[in-house]
Amino acid sequence: MATAIFVDAGFFLKRCHTVYPGLGHGDPAAVARTLHKMCLDHLMQRGEPDRRDLYRIFVYDCPPLTKKAHTPLTKTAVDFSKTDAAKFRTAFHNELKCLRKVALRLGRLQDNDGWRLKPAILAVLLKRERLFAELTDDDFEYDVRQKGTDMRIGVDIASVAYKKQVDQVVLVAGDADFVPAAKLARREGIDFILDPMWSKIAGDLFEHIDGLRSTSPEPKRAKVQIKEQA
């Protein structure tokens, strides 16, 4: 039997800056190879002399925003398809498609057709450290939400569990949305490992997993709950 690895790419990209500070984060190929190696490192586990077989690495993300809009204050035209973020995401997805045993699953973006204040800027306004009249276009971000990625992760975990294609699942994610899928997999006899990339998880989530293990480098100043339980 083999191990199937499921990666929330949005979560990975956010944590990547913390656990891989020396990586060229603007290089899509380097970031994709780093994700691949981090996953492959899960195949060597404590107490097991041999490398486990890999069934597949499933990576979940959404395509980048490519629409045109106008900034909220100065009304300057913006083509999101030409932004560095969109170019990176597209190239990152293309690099993942070329890697061995990697399957890319794309959801969709829900366009709320407007701008919103960045959370950090809103906090500053509430503290009255800045005035609304002092805001600039850079204080806003376009309001989009990822849709379909969590559902696809759950469906694919259920599929490999019911079909008995693997005996172990590794999930790289950082929130509680995985709990129903984890419960189902464990009921089917699957060993369920969570890799939160050294981020903290809620205490009550430990009951829904069989092990906690991060194969990325531990941040030097991070306060980690449990270093390894896998």
Side-chain angles (χ1 to χ4, degrees):
M1 299 297 286
T3 295
I5 303 175
F6 300 82
V7 183
D8 180 342
F11 171 76
F12 170 82
L13 291 174
K14 289 179 182 178
R15 290 294 299 166
C16 192
H17 290 270
T18 300
V19 298
Y20 297 104
L23 181 67
H25 297 285
D27 183 349
V31 176
R33 289 195 299 268
T34 299
L35 182 152
H36 192 244
K37 181 182 183 304
M38 185 190 77
C39 292
L40 294 180
D41 286 344
H42 275 285
L43 302 180
M44 289 301 297
Q45 297 182 4
R46 187 175 62 187
E48 295 187 10
D50 299 321
R51 189 181 185 91
R52 292 183 60 88
D53 291 332
L54 174 65
Y55 174 69
R56 192 160 291 130
I57 299 171
F58 299 89
V59 183
Y60 301 82
D61 202 11
C62 284
L65 184 66
T66 57
K67 70 176 292 183
K68 296 179 180 180
H70 291 83
T71 57
L73 298 179
T74 62
K75 305 304 179 183
T76 303
V78 178
D79 185 349
F80 287 104
S81 67
K82 296 181 180 180
T83 62
D84 291 340
K87 292 177 181 178
F88 172 85
R89 209 71 161 213
T90 300
F92 176 62
H93 292 165
N94 289 335
E95 292 292 339
L96 289 173
K97 293 174 185 177
C98 297
L99 292 175
R100 170 77 172 153
K101 288 276 191 175
V102 172
L104 180 63
R105 300 278 196 265
L106 294 179
R108 65 179 180 84
L109 288 178
Q110 177 179 301
D111 182 359
N112 293 322
D113 199 25
W115 298 82
R116 65 186 178 196
L117 274 173
K118 296 177 180 178
I121 302 302
L122 178 59
V124 170
L125 287 176
L126 292 175
K127 293 178 181 178
R128 300 184 180 180
E129 295 175 355
R130 285 183 64 183
L131 299 176
F132 188 84
E134 298 174 341
L135 296 179
T136 67
D137 287 332
D138 292 335
D139 297 322
F140 293 83
E141 58 188 5
Y142 201 77
D143 191 4
V144 292
R145 297 286 193 279
Q146 286 193 355
K147 291 292 182 180
T149 53
D150 291 341
M151 179 189 68
R152 283 173 170 79
I153 292 175
V155 169
D156 287 345
I157 289 177
S159 176
V160 299
Y162 281 136
K163 294 178 181 179
K164 307 297 184 184
Q165 293 171 316
V166 301
D167 64 356
Q168 184 182 74
V169 161
V170 175
L171 174 63
V172 181
D175 55 41
D177 293 337
F178 70 85
V179 168
K183 287 182 176 179
L184 183 150
R186 295 179 77 202
R187 285 196 297 267
E188 294 298 313
I190 303 296
D191 181 34
F192 195 98
I193 307 299
L194 176 66
D195 181 349
M197 297 180 68
W198 300 105
S199 63
K200 292 183 179 180
I201 67 172
D204 60 347
L205 297 184
F206 285 102
E207 65 181 291
H208 303 299
I209 60 177
D210 294 305
L212 183 70
R213 184 192 187 205
S214 293
T215 58
S216 52
E218 180 181 359
K220 293 182 180 179
R221 298 181 180 179
K223 294 181 179 179
V224 183
Q225 287 176 304
I226 296 180
K227 290 186 176 181
E228 184 173 309
Q229 283 193 345

